[in-house]
Amino acid sequence: MASSNMRTLLLCLGYLTLSHTEPCVNNTVLDQPWRNIDCSDAECLSEFKCDNSLSYGWYRFNSSADWRIPETVVPVRQCSTYATGWLNVTERPPSDPCEDHKVLKQPWRSTQCKNSECYGGFTSDISINYGWYRFKSSGGWKIPETLVPTHRCSGYSTAWIDGAHPTVGEGIATRTVCTHWNGNPCYLMHEIRIKNCASYFVYELKSLYCCSVYCTDPETTTHRPEVQSSAESVHSTSPISAGEANIAAPEKIIKVEVTSMTKLDDETTKRIVLKRVQRMVEEQCPGNTIDFNQVEVECSDVDPPDGEGGSTL
């Protein structure tokens, strides 16, 4: 145990000359033996404690109680408190935000919503939880890429993206969110991560300060991300009739061609094709679905139009 502590100490000292913001150097020491897991009820302090007033920041435990948080479940009414905190270190494989996200169906986020006319009052995203989100409403499904006037989107201060959305090929990309207030287009700013899921975008959002709202562009309700941000056009060689979409005719072959100005891998191409065909079925044959038993993808180079690179699928 002593050798482990010494290695940690040497590591921290090594960073001392590199940066004064290194948490091994800049931290608050908690010398509080009553945090010991053997302290039942209030026997070590004569009262119950809680950490609701603990400020956000880096801390170090340094007392006779031990120097690290337990990695196993701690019974209640231990550590001089009612509810006990411990570290769940179980590793979970990262999920795809295109599949694992929350959907925000809130048309009042539209940039066309002035003052409180769409919500009945002003609102804000101060309480939005950190995580991945998708916008899906008549108010739009995409955060604007241009400055939004204040007192729009049912909030006082408006949040927009300073830059273009990523293409499918970029994967998860980082962009800057600006909040417009007090005559300053970027009164406050922070970075978020965005992923282009071919038919929609997902955003890794965090809470905004009071009176600020993430806006959505209402014009994006009639456009697809693969067309707007990836310069990808999707079309079928022929319309699908109700008879052709019938599941009872599995021998029917539907050919879909995708022309992209950027390189796409097979999985991305397949996802675009499946979503496009399914949307065509929903639009032309309401109530029908297609069971895709087999999907084949062929990639070949073509002569790029107007001197631009591209490929056809």
PDB file of all heavy atoms in Angstrom, residues 6-22:
ATOM      1  N   MET A   6       3.231   6.168  -2.797  1.00  0.00           N
ATOM      2  CA  MET A   6       4.422   6.881  -3.228  1.00  0.00           C
ATOM      3  C   MET A   6       4.397   7.131  -4.730  1.00  0.00           C
ATOM      4  O   MET A   6       4.740   8.197  -5.199  1.00  0.00           O
ATOM      5  CB  MET A   6       5.679   6.075  -2.850  1.00  0.00           C
ATOM      6  CG  MET A   6       6.991   6.762  -3.260  1.00  0.00           C
ATOM      7  SD  MET A   6       7.153   8.394  -2.507  1.00  0.00           S
ATOM      8  CE  MET A   6       7.387   7.919  -0.798  1.00  0.00           C
ATOM      9  N   ARG A   7       3.944   6.165  -5.527  1.00  0.00           N
ATOM     10  CA  ARG A   7       3.868   6.351  -6.967  1.00  0.00           C
ATOM     11  C   ARG A   7       2.903   7.480  -7.316  1.00  0.00           C
ATOM     12  O   ARG A   7       3.160   8.279  -8.189  1.00  0.00           O
ATOM     13  CB  ARG A   7       3.429   5.053  -7.640  1.00  0.00           C
ATOM     14  CG  ARG A   7       4.529   3.992  -7.698  1.00  0.00           C
ATOM     15  CD  ARG A   7       4.183   2.922  -8.728  1.00  0.00           C
ATOM     16  NE  ARG A   7       2.948   2.227  -8.376  1.00  0.00           N
ATOM     17  CZ  ARG A   7       2.925   1.136  -7.614  1.00  0.00           C
ATOM     18  NH1 ARG A   7       4.053   0.654  -7.100  1.00  0.00           N
ATOM     19  NH2 ARG A   7       1.780   0.547  -7.349  1.00  0.00           N
ATOM     20  N   THR A   8       1.783   7.527  -6.613  1.00  0.00           N
ATOM     21  CA  THR A   8       0.825   8.601  -6.849  1.00  0.00           C
ATOM     22  C   THR A   8       1.419   9.952  -6.497  1.00  0.00           C
ATOM     23  O   THR A   8       1.270  10.932  -7.218  1.00  0.00           O
ATOM     24  CB  THR A   8      -0.448   8.363  -6.017  1.00  0.00           C
ATOM     25  OG1 THR A   8      -1.005   7.102  -6.368  1.00  0.00           O
ATOM     26  CG2 THR A   8      -1.469   9.452  -6.280  1.00  0.00           C
ATOM     27  N   LEU A   9       2.129  10.031  -5.413  1.00  0.00           N
ATOM     28  CA  LEU A   9       2.733  11.280  -4.964  1.00  0.00           C
ATOM     29  C   LEU A   9       3.760  11.781  -5.972  1.00  0.00           C
ATOM     30  O   LEU A   9       3.782  12.941  -6.336  1.00  0.00           O
ATOM     31  CB  LEU A   9       3.403  11.083  -3.598  1.00  0.00           C
ATOM     32  CG  LEU A   9       4.153  12.283  -3.008  1.00  0.00           C
ATOM     33  CD1 LEU A   9       3.194  13.444  -2.812  1.00  0.00           C
ATOM     34  CD2 LEU A   9       4.823  11.924  -1.693  1.00  0.00           C
ATOM     35  N   LEU A  10       4.596  10.888  -6.477  1.00  0.00           N
ATOM     36  CA  LEU A  10       5.605  11.279  -7.444  1.00  0.00           C
ATOM     37  C   LEU A  10       4.966  11.759  -8.738  1.00  0.00           C
ATOM     38  O   LEU A  10       5.436  12.697  -9.364  1.00  0.00           O
ATOM     39  CB  LEU A  10       6.548  10.100  -7.720  1.00  0.00           C
ATOM     40  CG  LEU A  10       7.467   9.692  -6.571  1.00  0.00           C
ATOM     41  CD1 LEU A  10       8.244   8.443  -6.942  1.00  0.00           C
ATOM     42  CD2 LEU A  10       8.410  10.820  -6.207  1.00  0.00           C
ATOM     43  N   LEU A  11       3.873  11.140  -9.154  1.00  0.00           N
ATOM     44  CA  LEU A  11       3.163  11.548 -10.356  1.00  0.00           C
ATOM     45  C   LEU A  11       2.627  12.961 -10.219  1.00  0.00           C
ATOM     46  O   LEU A  11       2.746  13.778 -11.103  1.00  0.00           O
ATOM     47  CB  LEU A  11       2.018  10.575 -10.646  1.00  0.00           C
ATOM     48  CG  LEU A  11       1.138  10.899 -11.865  1.00  0.00           C
ATOM     49  CD1 LEU A  11       1.979  10.862 -13.130  1.00  0.00           C
ATOM     50  CD2 LEU A  11      -0.011   9.932 -11.962  1.00  0.00           C
ATOM     51  N   CYS A  12       2.085  13.256  -9.060  1.00  0.00           N
ATOM     52  CA  CYS A  12       1.542  14.593  -8.830  1.00  0.00           C
ATOM     53  C   CYS A  12       2.639  15.641  -8.822  1.00  0.00           C
ATOM     54  O   CYS A  12       2.496  16.712  -9.381  1.00  0.00           O
ATOM     55  CB  CYS A  12       0.773  14.627  -7.503  1.00  0.00           C
ATOM     56  SG  CYS A  12      -0.736  13.645  -7.490  1.00  0.00           S
ATOM     57  N   LEU A  13       3.743  15.345  -8.201  1.00  0.00           N
ATOM     58  CA  LEU A  13       4.844  16.294  -8.156  1.00  0.00           C
ATOM     59  C   LEU A  13       5.414  16.534  -9.535  1.00  0.00           C
ATOM     60  O   LEU A  13       5.861  17.625  -9.863  1.00  0.00           O
ATOM     61  CB  LEU A  13       5.947  15.768  -7.221  1.00  0.00           C
ATOM     62  CG  LEU A  13       5.594  15.770  -5.733  1.00  0.00           C
ATOM     63  CD1 LEU A  13       6.747  15.177  -4.928  1.00  0.00           C
ATOM     64  CD2 LEU A  13       5.285  17.167  -5.246  1.00  0.00           C
ATOM     65  N   GLY A  14       5.409  15.523 -10.367  1.00  0.00           N
ATOM     66  CA  GLY A  14       5.913  15.675 -11.718  1.00  0.00           C
ATOM     67  C   GLY A  14       5.110  16.670 -12.530  1.00  0.00           C
ATOM     68  O   GLY A  14       5.639  17.323 -13.411  1.00  0.00           O
ATOM     69  N   TYR A  15       3.834  16.806 -12.240  1.00  0.00           N
ATOM     70  CA  TYR A  15       2.987  17.745 -12.967  1.00  0.00           C
ATOM     71  C   TYR A  15       3.090  19.164 -12.421  1.00  0.00           C
ATOM     72  O   TYR A  15       2.599  20.096 -13.015  1.00  0.00           O
ATOM     73  CB  TYR A  15       1.524  17.296 -12.893  1.00  0.00           C
ATOM     74  CG  TYR A  15       1.142  16.285 -13.942  1.00  0.00           C
ATOM     75  CD1 TYR A  15       1.095  14.934 -13.638  1.00  0.00           C
ATOM     76  CD2 TYR A  15       0.841  16.687 -15.243  1.00  0.00           C
ATOM     77  CE1 TYR A  15       0.747  14.003 -14.606  1.00  0.00           C
ATOM     78  CE2 TYR A  15       0.499  15.760 -16.204  1.00  0.00           C
ATOM     79  CZ  TYR A  15       0.460  14.420 -15.882  1.00  0.00           C
ATOM     80  OH  TYR A  15       0.113  13.513 -16.835  1.00  0.00           O
ATOM     81  N   LEU A  16       3.725  19.314 -11.277  1.00  0.00           N
ATOM     82  CA  LEU A  16       3.757  20.609 -10.599  1.00  0.00           C
ATOM     83  C   LEU A  16       4.382  21.687 -11.477  1.00  0.00           C
ATOM     84  O   LEU A  16       3.935  22.819 -11.503  1.00  0.00           O
ATOM     85  CB  LEU A  16       4.521  20.485  -9.278  1.00  0.00           C
ATOM     86  CG  LEU A  16       4.629  21.765  -8.430  1.00  0.00           C
ATOM     87  CD1 LEU A  16       3.238  22.236  -8.059  1.00  0.00           C
ATOM     88  CD2 LEU A  16       5.454  21.504  -7.187  1.00  0.00           C
ATOM     89  N   THR A  17       5.408  21.319 -12.221  1.00  0.00           N
ATOM     90  CA  THR A  17       6.092  22.307 -13.042  1.00  0.00           C
ATOM     91  C   THR A  17       5.430  22.528 -14.389  1.00  0.00           C
ATOM     92  O   THR A  17       5.807  23.415 -15.133  1.00  0.00           O
ATOM     93  CB  THR A  17       7.547  21.856 -13.280  1.00  0.00           C
ATOM     94  OG1 THR A  17       7.533  20.584 -13.925  1.00  0.00           O
ATOM     95  CG2 THR A  17       8.299  21.750 -11.964  1.00  0.00           C
ATOM     96  N   LEU A  18       4.420  21.698 -14.721  1.00  0.00           N
ATOM     97  CA  LEU A  18       3.793  21.792 -16.034  1.00  0.00           C
ATOM     98  C   LEU A  18       2.602  22.729 -16.051  1.00  0.00           C
ATOM     99  O   LEU A  18       2.410  23.483 -16.974  1.00  0.00           O
ATOM    100  CB  LEU A  18       3.356  20.395 -16.510  1.00  0.00           C
ATOM    101  CG  LEU A  18       4.478  19.376 -16.723  1.00  0.00           C
ATOM    102  CD1 LEU A  18       3.877  18.035 -17.147  1.00  0.00           C
ATOM    103  CD2 LEU A  18       5.461  19.856 -17.774  1.00  0.00           C
ATOM    104  N   SER A  19       1.771  22.652 -15.033  1.00  0.00           N
ATOM    105  CA  SER A  19       0.548  23.449 -15.048  1.00  0.00           C
ATOM    106  C   SER A  19       0.048  23.675 -13.638  1.00  0.00           C
ATOM    107  O   SER A  19      -0.018  22.750 -12.841  1.00  0.00           O
ATOM    108  CB  SER A  19      -0.533  22.741 -15.874  1.00  0.00           C
ATOM    109  OG  SER A  19      -1.760  23.410 -15.765  1.00  0.00           O
ATOM    110  N   HIS A  20      -0.302  24.899 -13.332  1.00  0.00           N
ATOM    111  CA  HIS A  20      -0.836  25.214 -12.013  1.00  0.00           C
ATOM    112  C   HIS A  20      -2.301  24.826 -11.885  1.00  0.00           C
ATOM    113  O   HIS A  20      -2.877  24.915 -10.814  1.00  0.00           O
ATOM    114  CB  HIS A  20      -0.655  26.710 -11.728  1.00  0.00           C
ATOM    115  CG  HIS A  20       0.787  27.118 -11.550  1.00  0.00           C
ATOM    116  ND1 HIS A  20       1.545  26.721 -10.488  1.00  0.00           N
ATOM    117  CD2 HIS A  20       1.594  27.871 -12.345  1.00  0.00           C
ATOM    118  CE1 HIS A  20       2.771  27.226 -10.585  1.00  0.00           C
ATOM    119  NE2 HIS A  20       2.826  27.922 -11.715  1.00  0.00           N
ATOM    120  N   THR A  21      -2.923  24.398 -12.990  1.00  0.00           N
ATOM    121  CA  THR A  21      -4.318  23.963 -12.931  1.00  0.00           C
ATOM    122  C   THR A  21      -4.422  22.457 -12.785  1.00  0.00           C
ATOM    123  O   THR A  21      -5.504  21.913 -12.783  1.00  0.00           O
ATOM    124  CB  THR A  21      -5.070  24.409 -14.201  1.00  0.00           C
ATOM    125  OG1 THR A  21      -4.441  23.829 -15.347  1.00  0.00           O
ATOM    126  CG2 THR A  21      -5.034  25.928 -14.339  1.00  0.00           C
ATOM    127  N   GLU A  22      -3.307  21.754 -12.715  1.00  0.00           N
ATOM    128  CA  GLU A  22      -3.319  20.315 -12.546  1.00  0.00           C
ATOM    129  C   GLU A  22      -4.010  19.952 -11.230  1.00  0.00           C
ATOM    130  O   GLU A  22      -3.638  20.468 -10.166  1.00  0.00           O
ATOM    131  CB  GLU A  22      -1.875  19.787 -12.574  1.00  0.00           C
ATOM    132  CG  GLU A  22      -1.715  18.375 -12.090  1.00  0.00           C
ATOM    133  CD  GLU A  22      -2.521  17.399 -12.933  1.00  0.00           C
ATOM    134  OE1 GLU A  22      -2.541  17.554 -14.164  1.00  0.00           O
ATOM    135  OE2 GLU A  22      -3.137  16.507 -12.333  1.00  0.00           O
TER     136      GLU A  22
END
